[in-house]
Amino acid sequence: MKDLLVAMFGEPQGVVLFQLLFATQFTIYLSLIAFIGGGIVAACITILRILPSRPARIIAQCYIWFFQSAPLLMLLFLFGLGVPRLIGFDVNIWIAASMALTLYSSAYLAEVWRGAIQSQPVGQWEGAQALGLRFMQTLRLVILPQAFRVSLAPTVGFLVQIIKGTSLAYIIGFSDLMSIGKRWANAPVEGTEPFVIYPLMALIYFALCFPLSRLALRLEKRLGTVPKTAPVAA
């Protein structure tokens, strides 16, 4: 592929484009890790958030408030630079970036899913109780199948935010699309000026995010409903 790009665009443009495309895979991998890991944590937080237990709800609410209020850049510095200094040895960049993005993502996804669950009519809960179903049975058999439809579009849409959020991971040394692009933009090589490199990077991010945005919009129109509660920090 490198030879093909060099033959098509020449040097150094072909080399730059190859490296940017190659680095894009790490942006995708980190985004998927953050989305899947954040989804697992968010599921637990969501359950705590809707439990009848008041202490559980308070714990979940504090978790959401904290990680929605904390800037992603601060979380990256904390896990990439702060924690290694605190414990006295280096933390793998992948682990640091994944932890920061997972916690950041989980807070927003938990609020999206909580809103989807609580948007269901009270009669659904009352009807299930009348049938003798317990809380978790009601949640699993009655509420979650309906909440899934409501939350699907905003969940897919939030993946776009995760992809864009990974662009900050370069600040702690993570080698991805943004890191390689900045390196070339700062290199004293003719043909790699910032006005050349940054539009290329923008096009690659656009190619990653635009299909997901369109899919989220299509799901929203098809399913015909969205959560009533937006994922914003309190």
Side-chain angles (χ1 to χ4, degrees):
M1 182 178 180
K2 180 179 178 180
D3 294 337
L4 176 61
L5 292 174
V6 170
M8 291 175 61
F9 300 101
E11 292 187 354
Q13 289 81 4
V15 176
V16 171
L17 186 55
F18 170 76
Q19 291 191 7
L20 290 177
L21 293 175
F22 184 80
T24 300
Q25 67 178 315
F26 301 116
T27 293
I28 296 172
Y29 296 155
L30 182 59
S31 300
L32 290 175
I33 291 172
F35 183 68
I36 295 171
I40 293 172
V41 176
C44 299
I45 298 300
T46 302
I47 297 299
L48 290 177
R49 189 75 173 80
I50 64 173
L51 282 175
S53 170
R54 190 166 183 270
R57 293 200 305 271
I58 291 175
I59 291 173
Q61 192 169 21
C62 289
Y63 177 95
I64 292 171
W65 280 351
F66 178 80
F67 287 108
Q68 282 190 349
S69 301
L72 176 57
L73 189 61
M74 188 205 74
L75 295 176
L76 288 165
F77 275 128
L78 177 64
F79 286 98
L81 302 175
V83 172
R85 288 235 177 165
L86 180 65
I87 62 180
F89 62 88
D90 292 337
V91 174
N92 183 276
I93 293 299
W94 274 94
I95 295 176
S98 298
M99 286 293 296
L101 281 158
T102 293
L103 294 175
Y104 173 82
S105 302
S106 66
Y108 285 90
L109 288 174
E111 194 68 354
V112 168
W113 296 348
R114 191 272 305 175
I117 290 173
Q118 293 188 341
S119 70
Q120 301 307 308
V122 176
Q124 298 287 334
W125 293 92
E126 294 174 346
Q129 290 176 353
L131 293 174
L133 297 179
R134 298 176 182 269
F135 176 83
M136 293 305 296
Q137 289 177 315
T138 301
L139 188 64
R140 179 170 58 88
L141 299 176
V142 180
I143 302 300
L144 287 184
Q146 300 176 74
F148 175 78
R149 289 173 55 86
V150 175
S151 65
L152 188 57
T155 298
V156 173
F158 185 69
L159 181 55
V160 173
Q161 303 303 317
I162 296 176
I163 293 173
K164 292 190 289 187
T166 61
S167 64
L168 295 175
Y170 83 92
I171 205 73
I172 60 172
F174 186 80
S175 183
D176 66 340
L177 174 59
M178 178 62 72
S179 175
I180 299 300
K182 282 184 65 66
R183 193 178 305 165
W184 275 108
N186 294 329
V189 179
E190 185 178 356
T192 65
E193 293 82 1
F195 62 81
V196 175
I197 299 300
Y198 288 124
L200 281 176
M201 293 167 59
L203 286 174
I204 294 174
Y205 277 113
F206 177 80
L208 293 175
C209 296
F210 181 72
L212 291 172
S213 298
R214 295 299 300 174
L215 176 60
L217 183 61
R218 187 171 181 178
L219 288 170
E220 182 179 326
K221 290 181 177 179
R222 183 175 180 180
L223 299 178
T225 182
V226 293
K228 297 179 181 178
T229 304
V232 293

